Amino acid sequence: MESYHIRGGTPLHGEYQVKGAKNAALPILAAALCRGGIHEIYGCPEIGDASVMMNILRALGADCRREGNCLVVDSRQLTSAAVPHSLMSMLRSSVFLMGSLLMRTGEAVICRPGGCNIGSRPIDIHIDGLRHLGYTVTEDAEKVVCSGRCRGGKYVLPYPSVGATENLMMAALSGEGLTVLENCAMEPEIMDLQGFLRNCGFHVYGAGTGTIAVLGGKGTSDAMYFIMEDRIEAATYLMALAGTGGEGMLTGVRGGLLGSVLQVLENMGCRIRSFQDRIELVSSGRLRSPGTVSTAPYPGFPTDCQPQLMTLAACAAGETQICEGVFENRFTHKKELMKMGANIETCGKNAIIKGVDGLQGAEVCARDLRGGAALVLAGLMAEKETVVTGIQHIERGYEELEKGLRQLGGNIEKKSERKTEKTEESAAEAGCISTDHGSGSCVSVLPHV
């Protein structure tokens, strides 16, 4: 079992190169199945979720390998259209494979996808959209079976779901005519998926707006593609600089992707300069409350940055209200922050945080990806030592977070202890690990991603 050991109280400073985006890499890896070919995908971060997705692609018959910072996916030979339950239950983003498998083979069999337990995340929009496009979909408590071809036409998403938008983009490629998707999610990662598909020779237009048009047809070429930067990783590092009273520069990131986050940090007293491919931040003195912040689909404040913001608000002067407008169970980090002295009250999807003078180190447990990152930030801000367990959740989405923070002067170390029956049972009771041990069961932790 591994944990982070953090000694806080040191302002971070220096320069950090932002890595490739997790939320772009996963759908693009799935999209590599849309056309049989050899695809070179550069900048894919070395994270747990990417490893699981590669194992899924291998189970379907594709050959995947990492060559430095490039993932090579040879999808010319597929042997199955059924995603293994044991793998899919580990990764929410595996739901994207419905669209790519339907495009490639005309059929797809998946179980209910897994991932972080941050609230109800049904795939009803995915299923309704596929049926509207002409696919046959049957489902039960354990699996979803899809078959057919896209008949084109128009579909209006009832909610701008990122995952459903991307899934339907890929499924629409099998049609012979035009498919128009309306009320689409507008996240930049959807534009990145469109860029990859167009590099493969597909005709997809409008990503980044509320309307996406897809002209069906087979791709014409292999793809070599460079994944966009991870705006959530960038926001996490900016908040680490801000919370510790530090100053630094992030490179390889466009400030325009982080407009709502930068505005909140400026409201809290940070000085920020944004350039074409870098962001500079200076934090001096105690942060102040940003007032009320509500999470919302892009370009609103990202739900993936809400836990980190709660950490900053815990020590900011004044009272902060956070309204979680996307997930109903994204305050799993609240109790852990309160162990460190934070003053937080929650009611439903709303949180009131009254800033305290400082946090105290404690042993805390990460229960999901972004909540875990928030606890790491808290450890960097706190007095004395903080131990963060359950870091397998954090490593699902951050590549060597401890090394990046040490590069900025953070006192953080990853330590391992031998797993025993006693430590495993205590960690399971705390909710830090699963006791399923890969039995192959599909655990449904099913807003719409």
Side-chain angles (χ1 to χ4, degrees), residues 207-292:
T209 74
T211 301
I212 296 176
V214 181
L215 187 62
K218 295 183 178 180
T220 57
S221 63
D222 301 340
M224 181 178 72
Y225 198 74
F226 292 82
I227 289 175
M228 66 175 286
E229 66 271 36
D230 195 322
R231 60 193 174 96
I232 306 303
E233 183 199 43
T236 301
Y237 276 88
L238 288 172
M239 292 184 181
L241 290 167
T244 61
E247 59 179 282
M249 178 172 67
L250 303 188
T251 60
V253 59
R254 294 164 287 174
L257 300 179
L258 289 162
S260 59
V261 173
L262 299 184
Q263 184 61 62
V264 167
L265 290 175
E266 287 182 332
N267 292 345
M268 298 184 81
C270 297
R271 301 197 305 276
I272 298 174
R273 293 198 301 170
S274 178
F275 303 90
Q276 182 177 1
D277 62 349
R278 69 185 190 275
I279 302 172
E280 296 177 355
L281 181 144
V282 177
S283 174
S284 58
R286 186 180 182 185
L287 296 175
R288 58 177 179 263
S289 166
T292 299

Coordinates of all heavy atoms in Angstrom, one line a residue, residues 207-292:
A207 N -17.3 20.8 -33.1 CA -16.9 20.5 -31.8 C -16.4 21.8 -31.1 O -15.7 22.6 -31.7 CB -15.8 19.4 -31.7
G208 N -16.8 22.0 -29.9 CA -16.5 23.2 -29.2 C -17.7 24.2 -29.2 O -17.7 25.2 -28.5
T209 N -18.7 23.8 -30.0 CA -20.0 24.6 -30.0 C -21.1 23.6 -29.6 O -20.9 22.4 -29.3 CB -20.3 25.1 -31.4 OG1 -20.7 24.0 -32.3 CG2 -19.1 25.8 -32.0
G210 N -22.3 24.2 -29.5 CA -23.4 23.3 -29.1 C -24.0 22.4 -30.2 O -24.8 21.6 -29.9
T211 N -23.5 22.6 -31.4 CA -24.0 21.7 -32.5 C -22.8 21.1 -33.2 O -21.8 21.8 -33.6 CB -24.8 22.6 -33.5 OG1 -25.9 23.2 -32.9 CG2 -25.3 21.7 -34.7
I212 N -22.9 19.8 -33.4 CA -21.8 19.0 -34.1 C -22.4 18.2 -35.2 O -23.5 17.6 -35.1 CB -21.1 18.0 -33.1 CG1 -20.4 18.8 -32.0 CG2 -20.2 17.1 -33.9 CD1 -19.8 17.9 -30.9
A213 N -21.8 18.3 -36.4 CA -22.2 17.7 -37.6 C -21.3 16.6 -37.9 O -20.0 16.8 -38.0 CB -22.4 18.6 -38.7
V214 N -21.8 15.4 -38.2 CA -21.0 14.2 -38.6 C -21.5 13.6 -39.9 O -22.6 13.3 -40.0 CB -21.0 13.1 -37.5 CG1 -20.2 11.9 -37.9 CG2 -20.7 13.7 -36.1
L215 N -20.6 13.5 -40.8 CA -20.9 12.9 -42.1 C -20.3 11.5 -42.1 O -19.1 11.4 -42.0 CB -20.3 13.8 -43.3 CG -20.7 13.3 -44.7 CD1 -22.2 13.4 -44.9 CD2 -20.0 14.2 -45.7
G216 N -21.2 10.5 -42.2 CA -20.7 9.2 -42.1 C -19.8 8.8 -43.2 O -19.8 9.3 -44.3
G217 N -19.0 7.8 -43.0 CA -18.0 7.3 -44.0 C -16.8 6.7 -43.3 O -16.5 7.0 -42.2
K218 N -16.1 5.8 -44.0 CA -14.9 5.2 -43.5 C -13.7 6.2 -43.5 O -13.6 7.0 -44.4 CB -14.5 4.0 -44.3 CG -15.6 2.9 -44.2 CD -15.1 1.6 -45.0 CE -16.2 0.5 -44.9 NZ -15.8 -0.7 -45.6
G219 N -12.9 6.1 -42.4 CA -11.7 6.9 -42.4 C -10.7 6.5 -43.5 O -10.8 5.4 -44.1
T220 N -9.8 7.3 -43.9 CA -9.0 7.1 -45.0 C -7.5 7.0 -44.7 O -6.7 6.7 -45.5 CB -9.1 8.2 -46.0 OG1 -8.8 9.5 -45.4 CG2 -10.6 8.3 -46.6
S221 N -7.1 7.3 -43.4 CA -5.7 7.3 -43.1 C -5.4 6.9 -41.6 O -6.3 7.1 -40.8 CB -5.1 8.7 -43.4 OG -5.7 9.6 -42.6
D222 N -4.2 6.5 -41.4 CA -3.7 6.4 -40.0 C -3.6 7.8 -39.4 O -3.5 8.8 -40.2 CB -2.4 5.6 -40.0 CG -2.5 4.2 -40.6 OD1 -3.6 3.7 -40.7 OD2 -1.4 3.7 -40.9
A223 N -3.4 7.8 -38.1 CA -3.3 9.2 -37.5 C -2.0 9.3 -36.7 O -1.6 8.3 -36.0 CB -4.5 9.4 -36.6
M224 N -1.4 10.4 -36.7 CA -0.4 10.8 -35.8 C -0.9 12.1 -35.1 O -1.2 13.1 -35.8 CB 0.9 11.1 -36.5 CG 2.0 11.5 -35.6 SD 3.6 11.8 -36.4 CE 3.3 13.4 -37.2
Y225 N -1.1 12.0 -33.8 CA -1.8 13.1 -33.1 C -1.1 13.5 -31.8 O -0.6 12.6 -31.1 CB -3.2 12.7 -32.9 CG -4.1 13.9 -32.6 CD1 -4.5 14.7 -33.6 CD2 -4.6 14.2 -31.3 CE1 -5.3 15.8 -33.3 CE2 -5.4 15.2 -31.0 CZ -5.8 16.1 -32.0 OH -6.5 17.2 -31.8
F226 N -1.1 14.8 -31.5 CA -0.6 15.3 -30.3 C -1.7 15.7 -29.4 O -2.5 16.6 -29.7 CB 0.4 16.5 -30.5 CG 1.7 16.1 -31.2 CD1 1.7 15.9 -32.6 CD2 2.8 15.8 -30.5 CE1 2.8 15.5 -33.3 CE2 4.0 15.4 -31.2 CZ 4.0 15.3 -32.5
I227 N -1.8 15.1 -28.2 CA -2.9 15.4 -27.3 C -2.8 16.8 -26.6 O -1.7 17.2 -26.3 CB -3.0 14.3 -26.2 CG1 -3.5 13.0 -26.9 CG2 -3.9 14.7 -25.1 CD1 -3.5 11.8 -25.9
M228 N -3.9 17.4 -26.4 CA -3.9 18.8 -25.8 C -3.4 18.7 -24.4 O -3.3 17.6 -23.8 CB -5.3 19.4 -25.8 CG -6.3 18.6 -25.0 SD -7.9 19.4 -25.0 CE -7.5 20.8 -23.8
E229 N -3.1 19.8 -23.8 CA -2.6 19.9 -22.4 C -3.8 19.6 -21.4 O -4.9 19.8 -21.8 CB -2.0 21.2 -22.1 CG -3.0 22.4 -22.1 CD -3.1 23.1 -23.5 OE1 -3.1 22.3 -24.5 OE2 -3.3 24.3 -23.6
D230 N -3.4 19.2 -20.2 CA -4.4 18.9 -19.2 C -4.8 20.1 -18.4 O -4.0 20.5 -17.5 CB -3.9 17.8 -18.3 CG -5.0 17.1 -17.5 OD1 -5.9 17.9 -17.0 OD2 -5.0 15.9 -17.2
R231 N -5.9 20.7 -18.7 CA -6.3 21.9 -18.0 C -6.6 21.7 -16.5 O -6.5 22.6 -15.7 CB -7.5 22.6 -18.7 CG -8.7 21.8 -18.8 CD -9.7 22.3 -19.8 NE -10.9 21.4 -19.9 CZ -12.0 21.5 -19.3 NH1 -12.2 22.6 -18.4 NH2 -13.0 20.7 -19.4
I232 N -7.0 20.5 -16.2 CA -7.4 20.2 -14.8 C -6.1 20.0 -14.0 O -5.9 20.5 -12.8 CB -8.3 19.0 -14.7 CG1 -9.5 19.1 -15.5 CG2 -8.6 18.7 -13.2 CD1 -10.4 20.4 -15.2
E233 N -5.1 19.3 -14.6 CA -3.8 19.2 -13.9 C -3.2 20.6 -13.7 O -2.7 21.0 -12.7 CB -2.8 18.4 -14.7 CG -1.5 18.2 -14.0 CD -0.3 17.8 -15.0 OE1 -0.2 18.3 -16.1 OE2 0.5 16.9 -14.5
A234 N -3.3 21.5 -14.8 CA -2.8 22.8 -14.7 C -3.5 23.6 -13.5 O -2.8 24.3 -12.7 CB -3.0 23.6 -16.0
A235 N -4.8 23.5 -13.4 CA -5.5 24.2 -12.4 C -5.1 23.7 -11.0 O -5.0 24.4 -10.1 CB -7.0 23.9 -12.6
T236 N -4.8 22.4 -10.9 CA -4.4 21.8 -9.6 C -3.1 22.4 -9.2 O -2.9 22.8 -8.0 CB -4.3 20.3 -9.7 OG1 -5.6 19.7 -10.1 CG2 -3.9 19.7 -8.4
Y237 N -2.1 22.5 -10.1 CA -0.8 23.1 -9.8 C -0.9 24.6 -9.5 O -0.3 25.1 -8.5 CB 0.2 22.8 -10.9 CG 0.8 21.4 -10.8 CD1 0.2 20.3 -11.4 CD2 2.0 21.3 -10.1 CE1 0.8 19.1 -11.3 CE2 2.6 20.0 -10.0 CZ 2.0 18.9 -10.6 OH 2.6 17.7 -10.5
L238 N -1.8 25.3 -10.2 CA -2.0 26.7 -9.9 C -2.5 26.9 -8.5 O -2.1 27.8 -7.8 CB -2.9 27.3 -10.9 CG -2.3 27.5 -12.3 CD1 -3.5 28.0 -13.3 CD2 -1.2 28.6 -12.3
M239 N -3.5 26.0 -8.1 CA -4.1 26.1 -6.8 C -3.1 25.7 -5.7 O -3.1 26.3 -4.6 CB -5.3 25.3 -6.7 CG -6.5 25.8 -7.5 SD -8.0 24.8 -7.3 CE -9.1 25.7 -8.4
A240 N -2.2 24.8 -6.0 CA -1.1 24.5 -5.1 C -0.2 25.7 -4.8 O 0.2 26.0 -3.7 CB -0.3 23.3 -5.6
L241 N 0.2 26.4 -5.9 CA 1.0 27.6 -5.8 C 0.2 28.7 -5.0 O 0.8 29.3 -4.1 CB 1.3 28.2 -7.2 CG 2.3 27.4 -8.0 CD1 2.3 27.9 -9.5 CD2 3.7 27.5 -7.5
A242 N -1.1 28.8 -5.3 CA -1.9 29.8 -4.6 C -2.1 29.5 -3.1 O -1.9 30.4 -2.2 CB -3.3 29.9 -5.2
G243 N -2.4 28.2 -2.8 CA -2.6 27.9 -1.4 C -1.4 27.9 -0.5 O -1.6 28.2 0.7
T244 N -0.2 27.8 -1.1 CA 1.0 27.8 -0.2 C 1.6 29.2 -0.2 O 2.7 29.3 0.4 CB 2.0 26.8 -0.8 OG1 2.4 27.1 -2.1 CG2 1.5 25.4 -0.7
G245 N 1.0 30.2 -0.9 CA 1.6 31.5 -0.9 C 2.8 31.6 -1.8 O 3.8 32.3 -1.5
G246 N 2.8 30.8 -2.8 CA 4.0 30.7 -3.7 C 3.9 31.5 -5.0 O 2.9 32.2 -5.2
E247 N 4.8 31.3 -5.9 CA 4.8 31.9 -7.2 C 5.5 31.0 -8.2 O 6.5 30.3 -7.8 CB 5.4 33.3 -7.2 CG 6.9 33.3 -6.8 CD 7.4 34.7 -6.8 OE1 7.7 35.2 -7.9 OE2 7.5 35.3 -5.7
G248 N 5.0 30.9 -9.4 CA 5.6 30.0 -10.3 C 5.0 30.2 -11.7 O 4.1 31.0 -11.9
M249 N 5.4 29.4 -12.6 CA 5.0 29.4 -14.0 C 4.7 28.0 -14.5 O 5.5 27.1 -14.3 CB 6.0 30.1 -14.9 CG 5.7 30.2 -16.4 SD 6.8 31.2 -17.3 CE 8.3 30.2 -17.2
L250 N 3.6 27.9 -15.1 CA 3.2 26.7 -15.8 C 3.4 26.9 -17.3 O 3.0 27.9 -17.9 CB 1.8 26.3 -15.6 CG 1.3 26.1 -14.1 CD1 -0.1 25.5 -14.1 CD2 2.3 25.2 -13.4
T251 N 4.1 25.9 -18.0 CA 4.4 26.1 -19.4 C 3.6 25.0 -20.2 O 3.2 24.0 -19.6 CB 5.9 25.9 -19.7 OG1 6.3 24.6 -19.3 CG2 6.7 27.0 -19.0
G252 N 3.4 25.2 -21.4 CA 2.7 24.3 -22.3 C 1.2 24.3 -22.0 O 0.5 23.2 -22.2
V253 N 0.6 25.4 -21.6 CA -0.8 25.5 -21.3 C -1.3 26.8 -21.7 O -0.7 27.8 -21.6 CB -1.1 25.3 -19.8 CG1 -0.4 26.3 -18.9 CG2 -2.6 25.3 -19.5
R254 N -2.5 26.8 -22.3 CA -3.2 28.0 -22.8 C -4.1 28.6 -21.8 O -5.0 27.8 -21.3 CB -3.9 27.7 -24.1 CG -3.0 27.3 -25.3 CD -3.8 26.7 -26.4 NE -4.2 25.3 -26.0 CZ -5.1 24.6 -26.7 NH1 -5.6 25.0 -27.9 NH2 -5.4 23.3 -26.3
G255 N -3.9 29.8 -21.4 CA -4.7 30.4 -20.4 C -6.2 30.5 -20.8 O -7.1 30.4 -19.9
G256 N -6.5 30.5 -22.1 CA -7.9 30.6 -22.5 C -8.7 29.4 -22.1 O -9.9 29.4 -22.1
L257 N -8.0 28.2 -21.9 CA -8.8 27.0 -21.5 C -9.2 27.1 -20.0 O -10.0 26.2 -19.6 CB -7.9 25.8 -21.7 CG -7.4 25.5 -23.1 CD1 -6.5 24.3 -23.1 CD2 -8.6 25.4 -24.1
L258 N -8.7 28.0 -19.2 CA -8.8 28.1 -17.8 C -9.5 29.4 -17.3 O -9.3 29.8 -16.2 CB -7.5 27.9 -17.1 CG -6.9 26.5 -17.2 CD1 -5.4 26.5 -16.9 CD2 -7.6 25.5 -16.2
G259 N -10.3 30.0 -18.2 CA -10.8 31.3 -17.9 C -11.5 31.4 -16.5 O -11.3 32.3 -15.7
S260 N -12.4 30.4 -16.3 CA -13.2 30.5 -15.0 C -12.3 30.2 -13.8 O -12.5 30.9 -12.8 CB -14.4 29.5 -15.1 OG -13.9 28.2 -15.3
V261 N -11.4 29.4 -13.9 CA -10.5 29.1 -12.8 C -9.6 30.3 -12.5 O -9.4 30.7 -11.3 CB -9.6 27.8 -13.1 CG1 -8.6 27.6 -12.0 CG2 -10.5 26.6 -13.2
L262 N -9.0 30.9 -13.5 CA -8.1 32.0 -13.3 C -8.9 33.2 -12.7 O -8.4 33.9 -11.9 CB -7.5 32.4 -14.7 CG -6.6 31.4 -15.4 CD1 -6.0 32.0 -16.6 CD2 -5.6 30.9 -14.4
Q263 N -10.2 33.3 -13.1 CA -11.0 34.4 -12.6 C -11.2 34.2 -11.1 O -11.1 35.2 -10.3 CB -12.3 34.5 -13.3 CG -13.2 35.7 -12.8 CD -12.5 37.0 -13.1 OE1 -12.3 37.4 -14.2 NE2 -12.3 37.8 -12.0
V264 N -11.5 33.0 -10.7 CA -11.7 32.7 -9.2 C -10.4 33.0 -8.5 O -10.4 33.5 -7.4 CB -12.2 31.3 -9.1 CG1 -12.1 30.8 -7.6 CG2 -13.6 31.1 -9.5
L265 N -9.3 32.5 -9.0 CA -8.0 32.7 -8.3 C -7.6 34.2 -8.2 O -7.1 34.6 -7.2 CB -6.9 31.9 -9.0 CG -6.9 30.4 -8.9 CD1 -5.9 29.8 -9.7 CD2 -6.8 30.0 -7.5
E266 N -8.0 35.0 -9.2 CA -7.7 36.4 -9.1 C -8.7 37.0 -8.1 O -8.2 37.9 -7.3 CB -8.0 37.1 -10.5 CG -6.8 36.8 -11.5 CD -7.0 37.5 -12.8 OE1 -8.2 37.7 -13.2 OE2 -6.0 37.8 -13.5
N267 N -9.9 36.5 -8.0 CA -10.8 37.0 -7.0 C -10.3 36.7 -5.6 O -10.6 37.4 -4.6 CB -12.2 36.4 -7.2 CG -12.9 36.9 -8.4 OD1 -12.5 37.9 -9.0 ND2 -13.9 36.2 -8.8
M268 N -9.5 35.7 -5.4 CA -9.0 35.3 -4.1 C -7.7 36.1 -3.8 O -7.1 35.9 -2.7 CB -8.7 33.8 -4.1 CG -10.0 33.0 -4.3 SD -9.7 31.2 -4.1 CE -9.7 31.0 -2.3
G269 N -7.2 36.9 -4.7 CA -6.1 37.7 -4.4 C -4.8 37.4 -5.2 O -3.8 38.0 -5.0
C270 N -4.8 36.4 -6.0 CA -3.6 36.0 -6.8 C -3.4 37.0 -8.0 O -4.4 37.5 -8.6 CB -3.7 34.6 -7.3 SG -3.9 33.3 -6.0
R271 N -2.1 37.2 -8.3 CA -1.8 38.0 -9.5 C -1.4 37.0 -10.6 O -0.5 36.1 -10.4 CB -0.6 38.9 -9.2 CG -0.9 39.9 -8.1 CD 0.0 41.1 -8.1 NE 1.4 40.7 -8.0 CZ 2.1 40.4 -6.9 NH1 1.4 40.5 -5.7 NH2 3.3 40.1 -6.9
I272 N -2.1 37.1 -11.7 CA -1.9 36.1 -12.8 C -1.7 36.8 -14.1 O -2.3 37.8 -14.4 CB -3.2 35.2 -12.9 CG1 -3.4 34.5 -11.6 CG2 -3.1 34.3 -14.1 CD1 -4.7 33.7 -11.6
R273 N -0.7 36.3 -14.8 CA -0.4 36.7 -16.2 C -0.5 35.5 -17.1 O 0.1 34.5 -16.8 CB 0.9 37.4 -16.3 CG 1.0 38.7 -15.6 CD 2.2 39.6 -16.1 NE 3.5 38.9 -15.9 CZ 4.6 39.3 -16.5 NH1 4.6 40.4 -17.2 NH2 5.7 38.6 -16.3
S274 N -1.3 35.6 -18.1 CA -1.5 34.5 -19.1 C -1.0 34.9 -20.4 O -1.2 36.0 -21.0 CB -3.0 34.2 -19.1 OG -3.2 33.2 -20.1
F275 N -0.2 34.0 -21.0 CA 0.4 34.2 -22.3 C -0.1 33.1 -23.2 O -0.9 32.3 -22.9 CB 2.0 34.2 -22.2 CG 2.5 35.2 -21.2 CD1 2.7 34.9 -19.9 CD2 2.8 36.5 -21.7 CE1 3.2 35.8 -19.0 CE2 3.3 37.4 -20.8 CZ 3.5 37.1 -19.4
Q276 N 0.5 33.0 -24.4 CA 0.0 32.1 -25.4 C 0.1 30.6 -24.9 O -0.8 29.8 -25.1 CB 0.8 32.3 -26.7 CG 0.3 31.3 -27.8 CD 1.0 31.6 -29.2 OE1 1.9 32.4 -29.3 NE2 0.6 30.8 -30.2
D277 N 1.3 30.3 -24.3 CA 1.5 28.9 -23.9 C 2.0 28.8 -22.5 O 2.7 27.8 -22.1 CB 2.4 28.2 -24.9 CG 3.8 28.9 -24.9 OD1 4.0 30.0 -24.3 OD2 4.7 28.3 -25.5
R278 N 1.8 29.8 -21.6 CA 2.2 29.7 -20.2 C 1.3 30.6 -19.4 O 0.7 31.5 -19.8 CB 3.7 30.0 -20.1 CG 4.0 31.5 -20.3 CD 5.5 31.7 -20.3 NE 5.9 33.1 -20.3 CZ 6.1 33.8 -21.4 NH1 5.8 33.3 -22.5 NH2 6.4 35.1 -21.2
I279 N 1.3 30.3 -18.1 CA 0.6 31.0 -17.1 C 1.5 31.3 -15.9 O 2.1 30.4 -15.4 CB -0.7 30.3 -16.6 CG1 -1.6 30.0 -17.8 CG2 -1.4 31.1 -15.6 CD1 -2.8 29.1 -17.4
E280 N 1.6 32.5 -15.5 CA 2.4 32.9 -14.3 C 1.4 33.3 -13.2 O 0.5 34.0 -13.4 CB 3.3 34.1 -14.6 CG 4.4 33.7 -15.6 CD 5.3 34.9 -16.0 OE1 5.0 36.1 -15.4 OE2 6.2 34.8 -16.8
L281 N 1.7 32.8 -12.0 CA 0.9 33.1 -10.8 C 1.8 33.5 -9.6 O 2.8 32.9 -9.4 CB 0.0 31.9 -10.4 CG -0.9 32.1 -9.2 CD1 -2.2 31.3 -9.4 CD2 -0.3 31.6 -7.9
V282 N 1.3 34.6 -8.9 CA 2.0 35.0 -7.7 C 0.9 35.1 -6.6 O -0.1 35.8 -6.8 CB 2.7 36.4 -7.9 CG1 3.3 36.9 -6.6 CG2 3.7 36.3 -9.0
S283 N 1.2 34.5 -5.5 CA 0.3 34.5 -4.3 C 1.1 35.0 -3.1 O 2.1 34.5 -2.8 CB -0.3 33.1 -4.1 OG -1.0 33.1 -2.9
S284 N 0.6 36.1 -2.5 CA 1.3 36.7 -1.4 C 0.2 37.1 -0.3 O -0.8 37.6 -0.7 CB 2.1 37.9 -1.7 OG 1.3 38.9 -2.4
G285 N 0.4 36.8 0.9 CA -0.5 37.0 1.9 C -1.7 36.0 1.9 O -1.7 35.1 1.1
R286 N -2.6 36.2 2.9 CA -3.7 35.3 3.0 C -4.7 35.4 1.9 O -5.0 36.5 1.5 CB -4.4 35.5 4.3 CG -5.4 34.4 4.6 CD -6.1 34.7 6.0 NE -7.1 33.7 6.3 CZ -7.9 33.7 7.3 NH1 -7.8 34.7 8.2 NH2 -8.8 32.7 7.6
L287 N -5.1 34.3 1.3 CA -6.1 34.3 0.3 C -7.4 34.8 0.9 O -7.7 34.7 2.1 CB -6.4 33.0 -0.3 CG -5.2 32.3 -1.1 CD1 -5.5 30.9 -1.5 CD2 -4.8 33.2 -2.3
R288 N -8.3 35.4 0.0 CA -9.6 35.8 0.5 C -10.7 35.0 -0.2 O -10.4 34.4 -1.2 CB -9.8 37.3 0.2 CG -9.7 37.7 -1.2 CD -10.0 39.2 -1.4 NE -9.8 39.6 -2.8 CZ -8.7 40.2 -3.3 NH1 -7.7 40.4 -2.5 NH2 -8.7 40.6 -4.6
S289 N -11.8 35.0 0.4 CA -12.9 34.2 -0.1 C -13.3 34.7 -1.5 O -13.4 35.9 -1.8 CB -14.2 34.3 0.8 OG -15.3 33.8 0.1
P290 N -13.6 33.8 -2.5 CA -14.1 34.2 -3.8 C -15.6 34.4 -3.8 O -16.1 34.7 -4.9 CB -13.7 32.9 -4.6 CG -13.8 31.8 -3.7 CD -13.4 32.3 -2.4
G291 N -16.2 34.3 -2.6 CA -17.7 34.5 -2.6 C -18.4 33.2 -2.9 O -18.1 32.1 -2.3
T292 N -19.3 33.2 -3.9 CA -20.1 32.0 -4.3 C -19.5 31.5 -5.6 O -19.4 32.3 -6.6 CB -21.6 32.3 -4.4 OG1 -22.1 32.7 -3.1 CG2 -22.3 31.1 -4.8

